[in-house]
Coordinates of all heavy atoms in Angstrom, one line a residue:
V1 N -130.1 -4.4 154.1 CA -131.5 -4.8 154.4 C -131.5 -6.1 155.2 O -130.4 -6.8 155.4 CB -132.3 -5.0 153.1 CG1 -132.3 -3.7 152.3 CG2 -131.6 -6.1 152.2
S2 N -132.6 -6.6 155.6 CA -132.8 -7.8 156.4 C -132.2 -9.0 155.7 O -132.3 -9.1 154.5 CB -134.3 -8.0 156.7 OG -134.4 -9.3 157.2
S3 N -131.6 -9.9 156.5 CA -131.0 -11.1 156.0 C -132.1 -12.1 155.6 O -131.8 -13.2 155.2 CB -130.0 -11.7 157.0 OG -130.7 -12.1 158.1
Q4 N -133.4 -11.8 155.8 CA -134.4 -12.8 155.6 C -134.9 -12.8 154.2 O -136.0 -13.3 153.9 CB -135.6 -12.5 156.6 CG -135.2 -12.7 158.0 CD -134.6 -14.1 158.3 OE1 -135.2 -15.1 158.0 NE2 -133.3 -14.1 158.8
Y5 N -134.2 -12.1 153.3 CA -134.6 -12.1 151.9 C -136.0 -11.7 151.7 O -136.8 -12.5 151.1 CB -134.3 -13.4 151.2 CG -132.9 -13.7 151.0 CD1 -132.2 -14.7 151.8 CD2 -132.1 -13.1 150.0 CE1 -130.9 -15.0 151.6 CE2 -130.8 -13.4 149.8 CZ -130.2 -14.3 150.6 OH -128.9 -14.6 150.4
P6 N -136.4 -10.5 152.1 CA -137.8 -10.1 151.9 C -138.2 -10.0 150.4 O -137.4 -9.6 149.6 CB -137.9 -8.7 152.5 CG -136.5 -8.2 152.4 CD -135.6 -9.4 152.6
R7 N -139.4 -10.4 150.1 CA -139.8 -10.3 148.7 C -140.1 -8.9 148.4 O -140.7 -8.1 149.1 CB -141.2 -11.1 148.6 CG -141.0 -12.6 148.7 CD -140.3 -13.2 147.6 NE -141.1 -13.2 146.4 CZ -140.6 -13.6 145.2 NH1 -139.4 -14.2 145.2 NH2 -141.3 -13.6 144.1
R8 N -139.5 -8.4 147.3 CA -139.6 -7.1 146.9 C -140.9 -6.9 146.0 O -141.3 -7.7 145.2 CB -138.4 -6.6 146.0 CG -137.1 -6.7 146.8 CD -136.0 -6.1 146.0 NE -134.7 -6.3 146.6 CZ -134.2 -5.6 147.6 NH1 -134.9 -4.6 148.1 NH2 -133.0 -5.8 148.1
R9 N -141.6 -5.8 146.2 CA -142.7 -5.5 145.4 C -142.3 -5.0 144.1 O -141.6 -4.0 143.9 CB -143.6 -4.4 146.1 CG -144.2 -4.9 147.4 CD -145.1 -3.8 148.0 NE -146.2 -3.6 147.0 CZ -147.0 -2.5 147.1 NH1 -146.9 -1.7 148.1 NH2 -148.0 -2.4 146.3
R10 N -142.7 -5.7 143.0 CA -142.2 -5.5 141.7 C -143.0 -4.4 141.0 O -142.8 -4.2 139.8 CB -142.2 -6.8 140.9 CG -141.5 -7.9 141.5 CD -140.0 -7.7 141.7 NE -139.4 -7.5 140.4 CZ -138.1 -7.2 140.3 NH1 -137.4 -6.9 141.3 NH2 -137.6 -7.0 139.1
T11 N -144.0 -3.8 141.7 CA -144.8 -2.8 141.1 C -144.3 -1.4 141.3 O -145.0 -0.4 140.9 CB -146.3 -3.0 141.6 OG1 -146.2 -2.8 143.0 CG2 -146.8 -4.3 141.2
T12 N -143.2 -1.2 142.1 CA -142.8 0.1 142.4 C -141.4 0.4 141.8 O -140.6 -0.5 141.5 CB -142.7 0.3 143.9 OG1 -141.8 -0.7 144.5 CG2 -144.1 0.1 144.6
T13 N -141.1 1.7 141.7 CA -139.8 2.1 141.2 C -139.2 3.0 142.3 O -139.9 3.9 142.8 CB -139.9 2.8 139.9 OG1 -140.4 2.0 138.9 CG2 -138.6 3.4 139.5
W14 N -138.0 2.8 142.7 CA -137.4 3.7 143.7 C -136.0 4.0 143.3 O -135.2 3.2 142.7 CB -137.3 2.9 145.0 CG -136.6 3.8 146.0 CD1 -137.1 4.7 146.8 CD2 -135.2 3.7 146.4 NE1 -136.1 5.3 147.6 CE2 -134.9 4.6 147.4 CE3 -134.1 2.8 145.9 CZ2 -133.6 4.8 147.9 CZ3 -132.9 3.0 146.5 CH2 -132.6 4.0 147.4
A15 N -135.6 5.3 143.4 CA -134.2 5.7 143.3 C -134.1 7.1 143.9 O -135.0 7.9 143.8 CB -133.9 5.8 141.8
P16 N -133.0 7.4 144.6 CA -132.8 8.7 145.1 C -132.4 9.7 144.0 O -132.1 9.3 142.9 CB -131.6 8.5 146.1 CG -130.8 7.4 145.5 CD -131.9 6.5 144.9
A17 N -132.5 11.0 144.2 CA -132.0 11.9 143.3 C -130.5 11.7 143.1 O -129.8 11.6 144.0 CB -132.3 13.3 143.8
A18 N -130.1 11.7 141.8 CA -128.7 11.5 141.5 C -127.9 12.7 141.8 O -126.7 12.6 142.1 CB -128.5 11.1 140.0
D19 N -128.5 13.9 141.9 CA -127.7 15.1 142.2 C -127.1 15.0 143.5 O -127.7 14.7 144.5 CB -128.7 16.4 142.2 CG -129.2 16.7 140.8 OD1 -128.6 16.2 139.8 OD2 -130.2 17.4 140.7
G20 N -125.8 15.3 143.6 CA -125.1 15.1 144.9 C -124.5 13.8 145.1 O -123.7 13.6 146.1
L21 N -124.8 12.8 144.3 CA -124.2 11.5 144.4 C -122.8 11.5 143.9 O -122.5 12.0 142.8 CB -125.1 10.5 143.6 CG -124.9 9.0 144.0 CD1 -125.5 8.8 145.4 CD2 -125.7 8.1 143.0
R22 N -121.9 11.0 144.6 CA -120.5 11.0 144.2 C -120.0 9.5 144.1 O -120.4 8.6 144.8 CB -119.6 11.7 145.3 CG -119.9 13.2 145.4 CD -118.8 13.9 146.2 NE -118.9 13.5 147.6 CZ -119.6 14.2 148.5 NH1 -120.3 15.3 148.1 NH2 -119.6 13.9 149.7
V23 N -119.1 9.3 143.1 CA -118.6 8.0 142.8 C -117.1 8.2 142.7 O -116.5 9.0 142.0 CB -119.1 7.5 141.4 CG1 -118.5 6.1 141.1 CG2 -120.6 7.4 141.4
R24 N -116.4 7.3 143.5 CA -114.9 7.3 143.4 C -114.4 5.9 143.2 O -114.8 5.0 144.0 CB -114.3 7.9 144.7 CG -112.8 8.0 144.7 CD -112.2 8.2 146.0 NE -110.7 8.2 145.9 CZ -109.9 8.1 147.0 NH1 -110.5 8.0 148.2 NH2 -108.6 8.0 146.9
S25 N -113.6 5.7 142.2 CA -112.9 4.4 142.0 C -111.4 4.6 142.2 O -110.8 5.5 141.6 CB -113.2 3.9 140.6 OG -114.5 3.5 140.4
R26 N -110.8 3.7 143.0 CA -109.4 3.8 143.3 C -108.8 2.4 143.4 O -109.5 1.4 143.7 CB -109.2 4.5 144.7 CG -109.7 3.8 145.9 CD -109.5 4.6 147.1 NE -109.8 3.8 148.3 CZ -110.9 3.6 148.9 NH1 -112.0 4.1 148.3 NH2 -111.1 2.9 150.0
V27 N -107.5 2.3 143.0 CA -106.9 1.0 143.1 C -106.8 0.5 144.5 O -106.6 1.3 145.4 CB -105.4 1.1 142.5 CG1 -104.7 -0.2 142.6 CG2 -105.5 1.5 141.0
A28 N -107.0 -0.8 144.7 CA -107.0 -1.4 146.0 C -105.9 -2.4 146.1 O -105.5 -3.1 145.1 CB -108.4 -2.1 146.2
D29 N -105.3 -2.5 147.3 CA -104.3 -3.5 147.5 C -104.8 -4.7 148.2 O -104.7 -5.0 149.4 CB -103.2 -2.8 148.5 CG -102.0 -3.7 148.7 OD1 -101.8 -4.6 147.9 OD2 -101.3 -3.5 149.7
T30 N -105.4 -5.6 147.3 CA -105.9 -6.9 147.8 C -105.8 -7.9 146.6 O -106.0 -7.5 145.5 CB -107.3 -6.8 148.3 OG1 -107.8 -8.1 148.7 CG2 -108.3 -6.3 147.3
T31 N -105.5 -9.1 147.0 CA -105.5 -10.2 146.0 C -106.6 -11.2 146.3 O -106.6 -12.3 145.8 CB -104.2 -10.9 145.9 OG1 -103.8 -11.4 147.2 CG2 -103.1 -9.9 145.5

């Protein structure tokens, strides 16, 4: 989103459908 920190409207709820959402956690090579 924009770097201007837009004020979010706190009266709404938003979320995409979770069906089809994939989550993958893997070990990373970084310190």
Side-chain angles (χ1 to χ4, degrees):
V1 301
S2 166
S3 65
Q4 297 306 304
Y5 288 105
R7 294 290 292 177
R8 300 188 187 278
R9 293 184 63 192
R10 308 295 298 173
T11 57
T12 60
T13 296
W14 174 83
D19 293 340
L21 201 65
R22 292 194 291 270
V23 178
R24 181 194 176 196
S25 293
R26 66 185 190 277
V27 174
D29 184 18
T30 179
T31 59

